[in-house]
Amino acid sequence: MAVPARIIDPTAIDSVRGEWCERCGKPGRVEVHHIKTRSTGGSDIRPNLIGLCFDCHRSYHDGKIDRYELVVIVSRREGLAPEEVCTLIGIPVPDQFPELPEHHEPEPSLEELIQRYISLEEQERDCKWLKGELLDAMLNAGAKPGWIASQVGVSAAQIRELVKVYRAFPDESMRIPELSWYHHRVAANTDDPRGWIEKAADNQLSTRQLRKAILEEEEKKSGTPLPEDPEDKRNRDKAVRALKMIDEVLAAGGDVAAWLKKEMYERLH
């Protein structure tokens, strides 16, 4: 019988390269270990791979860790019976598997959570640029925004916005990585997108500050007052409502009014 060819798949190896050891739970860099070794035909498939810290990896090769202990750990990760793992990777099924305590992944640190969030933000930003590029290609191929919207499940207005921002900064070199996609969106709605995005970067402007600077510049050029920034209007409306409630509490007097005066004084001084 011919021996099956060994599967070589770097993607499978990367998929189990986590942030902590699958055996001891220690966070940090892990080494991907083949339960059935590559030299004996072990393939790059997830049931044959486990992420181990340096100490656990060395202990295994020193003969201090039973191979079937790793099989049990992988079976839990993959949602398989240990016998299935043995069959899939091509090793004998033992009479009995070692009993292991339930393993729980360690709670990530605050720093790890922050890094994951930043990573998601970067992925989301990159995704918007890619969406804009794909939608631009669809429009250039003759598709209409309304038809595309019906196919991809977003509004035609969203499609136009994504394409407009992409067309303003079609090349990655035109974009400022330190600034959000929303900064680029604000700049894209001007006559000078690149000039405004560079000004936002040089002056470390928030999206709100960038909008305000653009409005002030347009007002200067036109010589007539422009409509109020919607965000400023929302904040003013909130302030008016808050002031009305403060007046009512102060007029009622009593302990609550005294507490409110004290809190307001502390915040204003």
Side-chain angles (χ1 to χ4, degrees), residues 16 26 61 79 96 111-112 114 147 155-156 161 186 193 200 208 216 222 242 262:
V16 299
K26 184 165 65 178
H61 287 293
Q96 186 175 357
E111 183 179 353
E112 288 171 335
I114 291 172
W147 180 84
S155 69
E161 179 182 84
V186 173
R208 181 178 178 278
E216 288 174 350
S222 66
K262 177 175 176 294

Side-chain angles (χ1 to χ4, degrees), residues 98-119:
E99 292 187 11
L100 304 180
E102 286 295 327
H103 176 66
H104 299 285
E105 294 178 347
E107 290 293 328
S109 67
L110 179 58
E111 183 179 353
E112 288 171 335
L113 292 172
I114 291 172
Q115 288 304 315
R116 290 183 193 179
Y117 185 89
I118 291 172
S119 177

Side-chain angles (χ1 to χ4, degrees):
M1 180 184 295
V3 178
R6 190 177 85 80
I7 297 171
I8 300 174
D9 185 1
T11 304
I13 294 176
D14 289 339
S15 75
V16 299
R17 200 187 300 277
E19 299 174 358
W20 49 74
C21 177
E22 292 188 69
R23 179 177 179 271
C24 71
K26 184 165 65 178
R29 181 178 177 275
V30 300
E31 300 170 352
V32 178
H33 171 73
H34 288 71
I35 299 175
K36 181 177 182 179
T37 62
R38 285 178 287 193
S39 61
T40 58
S43 290
D44 300 344
I45 58 174
R46 283 181 58 90
N48 193 41
L49 303 170
I50 184 168
L52 300 175
C53 65
F54 174 80
D55 291 334
C56 286
H57 203 183
R58 183 175 60 183
S59 294
Y60 176 84
H61 287 293
D62 288 345
K64 298 176 182 178
I65 297 174
D66 185 342
R67 173 166 69 170
Y68 291 102
E69 179 181 337
L70 305 185
V71 167
V72 173
I73 294 170
V74 167
S75 71
R76 291 175 177 174
R77 184 192 70 205
E78 297 297 311
L80 301 169
E83 294 83 358
E84 290 179 281
V85 173
C86 291
T87 301
L88 286 169
I89 68 178
I91 63 173
V93 177
D95 295 332
Q96 186 175 357
F97 289 93
E99 292 187 11
L100 304 180
E102 286 295 327
H103 176 66
H104 299 285
E105 294 178 347
E107 290 293 328
S109 67
L110 179 58
E111 183 179 353
E112 288 171 335
L113 292 172
I114 291 172
Q115 288 304 315
R116 290 183 193 179
Y117 185 89
I118 291 172
S119 177
L120 287 173
E121 284 286 318
E122 292 172 348
Q123 291 174 31
E124 183 180 356
R125 180 192 61 200
D126 293 343
C127 185
K128 285 183 180 295
W129 288 118
L130 182 56
K131 284 181 178 179
E133 183 178 0
L134 294 172
L135 291 168
D136 182 52
M138 293 180 206
L139 293 176
N140 289 335
K144 300 297 183 184
W147 180 84
I148 298 173
S150 70
Q151 299 300 305
V152 300
V154 298
S155 69
Q158 286 177 289
I159 290 170
R160 292 188 187 95
E161 179 182 84
L162 286 163
V163 172
K164 184 174 186 178
V165 179
Y166 170 74
R167 287 178 176 174
F169 305 96
D171 192 276
E172 196 170 343
S173 63
M174 299 176 178
R175 306 164 194 165
I176 307 293
E178 295 77 19
L179 297 181
S180 70
W181 183 86
Y182 298 97
H183 279 89
H184 292 80
R185 181 184 69 176
V186 173
N189 285 306
T190 69
D191 295 333
D192 183 18
R194 293 191 67 182
W196 278 109
I197 202 65
E198 288 171 4
K199 187 176 290 188
D202 292 342
N203 296 281
Q204 298 183 328
L205 301 179
S206 66
T207 52
R208 181 178 178 278
Q209 290 169 331
L210 178 58
R211 280 198 302 269
K212 186 176 181 182
I214 292 169
L215 286 171
E216 288 174 350
E217 183 72 19
E218 291 178 353
E219 184 176 334
K220 218 180 280 182
K221 287 180 180 177
S222 66
T224 56
L226 293 170
E228 183 178 20
D229 184 347
E231 188 171 345
D232 284 343
K233 184 177 186 308
R234 284 194 295 271
N235 287 332
R236 188 185 350 270
D237 290 343
K238 288 180 186 176
V240 169
R241 291 195 298 271
L243 188 59
K244 181 180 179 182
M245 288 188 284
I246 288 171
D247 286 339
E248 290 174 356
V249 173
L250 293 178
D255 293 341
V256 175
W259 171 85
L260 180 58
K261 287 179 183 178
K262 177 175 176 294
E263 290 294 322
M264 289 175 63
Y265 179 84
E266 290 179 356
R267 283 164 171 73
L268 296 172
H269 292 82

